[in-house]
Amino acid sequence: MTDLVARIEGYAAVFNVADLNGDIIQPGAFAKSLKTRPAGDVRLLYQHAPESPLGRWLSFEEDARGLYAIGELVLSSSLAREVYALIEGRAID
């Protein structure tokens, strides 16, 4: 059986802009990791929580704006369905 998935994509990090914790990521910050670790080896987690997997990452690309990510949420997971509904409703990004 193939799981129903929902594609998500957007910037996982934006350069030279303070995040909610005040951290500022510089261009090139991901270059080394992108060369050595495929996207499929990075877990797609909700709020960085290892106990809350949502799906899988398909690709990461660093461009002039930041780190662009494409992934799939596995909708057979109730958490992934909830997160996807919140994304679609623009309650989270």
Side-chain angles (χ1 to χ4, degrees):
M1 178 179 162
T2 302
D3 289 319
L4 185 61
V5 297
R7 182 180 170 115
I8 58 170
E9 62 182 280
Y11 282 91
V14 179
F15 298 138
N16 300 314
V17 176
D19 66 13
L20 296 176
N21 294 315
D23 297 322
I24 299 174
I25 300 170
Q26 298 298 314
F30 303 102
K32 183 177 178 183
S33 294
L34 291 173
K35 289 179 183 175
T36 60
R37 190 166 185 198
D41 287 354
V42 180
R43 297 176 65 199
L44 196 165
L45 305 172
Y46 183 64
Q47 299 295 324
H48 301 274
E51 69 277 6
S52 300
L54 295 174
R56 66 186 185 125
W57 290 114
L58 302 174
S59 69
F60 296 111
E61 182 177 329
E62 190 174 312
D63 63 19
R65 183 170 179 212
L67 181 67
Y68 196 81
I70 300 173
E72 291 178 333
L73 300 178
V74 178
L75 298 178
S76 58
S77 158
S78 59
L79 178 58
R81 286 192 307 275
E82 181 180 340
V83 168
Y84 186 62
L86 293 169
I87 292 168
E88 287 293 297
R90 298 179 187 256
I92 62 173
D93 59 15

